[in-house]
């Protein structure tokens, strides 16, 4: 049975008016990164060049979004010397302005991300007033003009007994490595999904340490359309593009807000749970769904619960959030209460759920004690087949249900 460890919340021992009223902050899996992102340094190529080659610098490699690891519980970081054959001596030797002006869409540029500084490492890089070990993520997926170099790097890693963890969800990593992995995966996935401009269809260039994409005004490749063409000796002016005008002239990473909610009955004695057909037998969870445009979080909670189960809700309270890098969701955890007379279950609105039902609090407590596990794993010792099963501790659904049975909706609520 895998042992799950959640990240420590920020300032867990700090006494404040808010902590006395609501309890300490809840940190969910994939949050709690040890890195200071220092986002204002992403466009400083003098900093990035120095950070790239510092002895304390760590690179996390991804092949098809799978991270390099020793085993399923330990990712492996490599050094600049390892990645130099792929990324070159210094991809930040020129300014962003120079790189944009010299853009050539026929050349595959290795996708490199600056993730941040680990300020716990006092022997790390010192730049101005900032000190810490720099962290980067690098996509080594063989593609385009870097296929041979990427394959060689992958083979070098494999010769060391390392491998790239396959599987959509990596939920067995130590919490801080999980947060670093989540940041790298989400940004690499976003870059891979947006190689072309959404306005004019021309290829885009990753800038700002891998956190923005721009549509260059010129291209050394003489493109007649969005794709293909012959290499020219001088930059060819591209057609006009709206993204090069006004303020919103860049493409930024996408984050999709998703609500996930533990619904308590009007008498406070039961919790609404549902299951999808593809899940293992007896596994249920809280309900969830996407927030739509021009919709508040509270409205999304009420709408999704009614659409999926027919239950009508009153008050909605936000509990905690969880980054979910599959591909780029922010899970907004809420606890809500149904209204009297609105607790009948009706699955005909939206066929997403195979079943939904009300579970007594004692049944939920027992399931949290012995009936939780990751997908594909057995429940804990003491679980009786046929009883309720719930998601593992790395899922925000587990945190929400734990808060409910601990008295969140009682007279003295604590998150």
């Amino acid at each position: 049975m895998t042992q799950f460890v959640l990240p420590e919340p920020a300032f867990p021992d700090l006494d404040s008016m808010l902590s006395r009223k609501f309890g300490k902050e809840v940190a969910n899996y994939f949050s709690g990164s040890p890195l200071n992102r220092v986002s204002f340094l992403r466009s400083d190529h003098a900093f990035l060049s120095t950070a790239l080659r510092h002895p304390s610098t760590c690179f996390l490699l991804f092949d098809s979004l799978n991270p390099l690891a020793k085993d399923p519980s330990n990712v492996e970081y490599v050094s600049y010397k390892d990645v130099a054959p792929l990324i070159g001596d210094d991809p930040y030797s020129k300014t962003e302005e120079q790189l944009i002006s010299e853009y050539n869409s026929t050349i595959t540029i290795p996708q490199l991300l600056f993730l941040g500084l680990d300020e716990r490492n006092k022997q790390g890089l010192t730049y101005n007033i900032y000190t810490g070990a720099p962290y980067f993520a690098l996509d080594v997926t063989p593609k385009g003009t870097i296929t041979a170099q990427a394959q060689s790097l992958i083979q070098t890693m494999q010769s060391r007994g390392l491998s790239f963890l396959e599987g959509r969800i990596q939920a067995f990593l130590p919490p801080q490595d999980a947060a670093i992995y989540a940041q790298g995966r989400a940004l690499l996935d976003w870059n891979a999904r947006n190689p072309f401009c959404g306005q004019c269809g021309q290829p885009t260039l990753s800038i700002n340490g891998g956190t923005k994409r721009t549509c260059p005004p010129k291209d050394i490749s003489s493109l007649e359309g969005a794709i293909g063409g012959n290499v020219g000796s001088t930059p060819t002016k591209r057609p006009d593009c709206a993204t090069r005008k006004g303020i919103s002239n860049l493409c930024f990473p996408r984050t999709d807000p998703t609500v996930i909610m533990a619904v308590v009955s009007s008498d406070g004695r039961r919790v609404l749970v549902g299951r999808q057909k593809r899940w293992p037998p007896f596994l249920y969870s809280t309900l969830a769904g996407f927030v739509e445009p021009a919709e508040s979080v509270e409205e999304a909670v009420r709408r999704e619960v009614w659409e999926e189960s027919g239950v009508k809700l009153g008050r909605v309270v936000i509990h905690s959030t969880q980054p979910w890098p599959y591909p780029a969701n922010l899970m907004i955890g809420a606890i809500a209460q149904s209204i009297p007379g609105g607790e009948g279950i009706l699955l005909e609105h939206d066929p997403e759920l195979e079943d939904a039902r009300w579970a007594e609090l004692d049944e939920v407590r027992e399931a949290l004690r012995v009936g939780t596990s990751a997908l594909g794993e057995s429940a804990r010792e003491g679980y009786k087949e046929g009883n309720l099963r719930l998601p593992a501790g790395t899922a925000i659904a587990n945190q929400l249900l734990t808060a409910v049975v601990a008295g969140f909706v009682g007279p003295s609520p604590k998150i």
Side-chain angles (χ1 to χ4, degrees):
M1 172 60 63
T2 304
Q3 297 298 314
F4 298 103
V5 179
L6 293 175
E8 274 289 321
F11 309 106
D13 301 320
L14 179 65
D15 180 49
S16 68
M17 291 183 288
L18 286 176
S19 61
R20 287 193 296 271
K21 183 176 179 61
F22 296 107
K24 71 178 182 179
E25 185 175 306
V26 174
N28 289 291
Y29 197 68
F30 292 130
S31 67
S33 174
L35 305 184
N36 181 345
R37 299 195 183 198
V38 286
S39 60
F40 43 84
L41 293 178
R42 291 170 181 161
S43 60
D44 186 341
H45 279 208
F47 163 72
L48 293 176
S49 292
T50 305
L52 197 70
R53 293 179 293 231
H54 195 269
S56 67
T57 300
C58 297
F59 294 82
L60 182 58
L61 309 185
F62 289 79
D63 179 12
S64 300
L65 300 178
N66 300 318
L68 184 68
K70 300 175 184 176
D71 55 60
S73 299
N74 293 281
V75 295
E76 176 76 357
Y77 298 100
V78 301
S79 68
Y80 166 75
K81 181 180 178 180
D82 294 314
V83 302
L86 177 61
I87 66 173
D89 182 56
D90 184 4
Y92 302 116
S93 61
K94 297 180 179 180
T95 66
E96 283 189 354
E97 290 75 16
Q98 289 175 307
L99 293 173
I100 292 172
S101 68
E102 300 172 2
Y103 178 61
N104 184 347
S105 62
T106 63
I107 297 176
T108 305
I109 301 174
Q111 186 59 62
L112 183 62
L113 309 173
F114 171 65
L115 302 179
L117 296 174
D118 186 350
E119 296 175 313
R120 299 171 301 173
N121 189 338
K122 302 306 179 185
Q123 305 303 313
L125 169 68
T126 295
Y127 187 83
N128 294 335
I129 63 173
Y130 314 103
T131 298
Y135 276 68
F136 290 83
L138 175 63
D139 185 2
V140 300
T141 307
K143 65 181 72 172
T145 58
I146 60 169
T147 296
Q149 297 94 321
Q151 289 175 337
S152 177
L153 180 53
I154 290 172
Q155 290 169 0
T156 298
M157 296 300 110
Q158 292 173 337
S159 70
R160 298 178 185 176
L162 305 171
S163 62
F164 292 88
L165 293 179
E166 296 184 358
R168 194 176 76 89
I169 298 176
Q170 304 301 334
F172 306 127
L173 302 175
Q176 293 181 337
D177 285 335
I180 294 172
Y181 153 77
Q183 181 187 359
R185 187 194 192 282
L187 284 170
L188 287 177
D189 190 27
W190 168 74
N191 274 281
R193 289 172 184 263
N194 291 273
F196 301 105
C197 177
Q199 177 67 31
C200 70
Q202 298 287 334
T204 55
L205 173 67
S206 181
I207 59 173
N208 204 243
T211 61
K212 297 178 183 178
R213 298 191 70 89
T214 187
C215 183
K218 298 179 180 180
D219 190 346
I220 288 179
S221 171
S222 54
L223 296 173
E224 299 199 0
I227 306 173
N230 299 314
V231 177
S233 58
T234 58
T236 301
K237 184 178 180 181
R238 288 171 151 187
D240 288 339
C241 179
T243 65
R244 303 188 203 115
K245 303 174 183 178
I247 298 176
S248 300
N249 56 357
L250 293 166
C251 179
F252 294 89
R254 173 173 172 168
T255 297
D256 298 320
T258 306
V259 290
I260 180 167
M261 41 277 174
V263 175
V264 184
S265 61
S266 58
D267 62 8
R269 297 178 180 177
R270 298 168 295 156
V271 181
L272 181 67
V273 292
R275 62 170 278 109
Q276 296 183 12
K277 187 176 182 179
R278 61 186 177 86
W279 290 358
F282 315 116
L283 176 63
Y284 284 74
S285 184
T286 56
L287 276 56
F290 286 102
V291 180
E292 294 192 346
E295 184 178 49
S296 71
V297 169
E298 292 83 357
E299 289 171 324
V301 168
R302 295 187 185 98
R303 175 184 56 78
E304 283 288 344
V305 170
W306 178 80
E307 288 180 353
E308 292 185 4
S309 71
V311 173
K312 298 179 180 179
L313 302 183
R315 183 74 166 96
V316 176
V317 177
I318 296 175
H319 172 272
S320 62
T321 60
Q322 180 181 36
W324 192 252
Y326 304 105
N329 300 113
L330 177 64
M331 308 294 288
I332 304 171
I335 295 177
Q337 195 161 21
S338 60
I339 61 175
E343 297 174 347
I345 292 177
L346 180 66
L347 301 180
E348 280 74 12
H349 299 310
D350 185 340
E352 181 174 342
L353 296 181
E354 179 188 50
D355 186 36
R357 69 180 181 87
W358 291 100
E360 299 290 335
L361 291 186
D362 284 343
E363 183 184 6
V364 175
R365 288 191 185 93
E366 179 66 8
L368 289 170
R369 188 179 70 86
V370 297
T372 63
S373 66
L375 287 175
E377 286 199 342
S378 301
R380 299 179 186 177
E381 184 178 353
Y383 171 77
K384 295 181 180 180
E385 188 70 14
N387 287 354
L388 177 66
R389 293 185 62 182
L390 294 172
T394 51
I396 190 174
N398 184 291
Q399 296 272 57
L400 296 174
L401 293 169
T402 297
V404 167
V405 300
F408 184 87
V409 295
S412 299
K414 295 287 186 182
I415 288 178

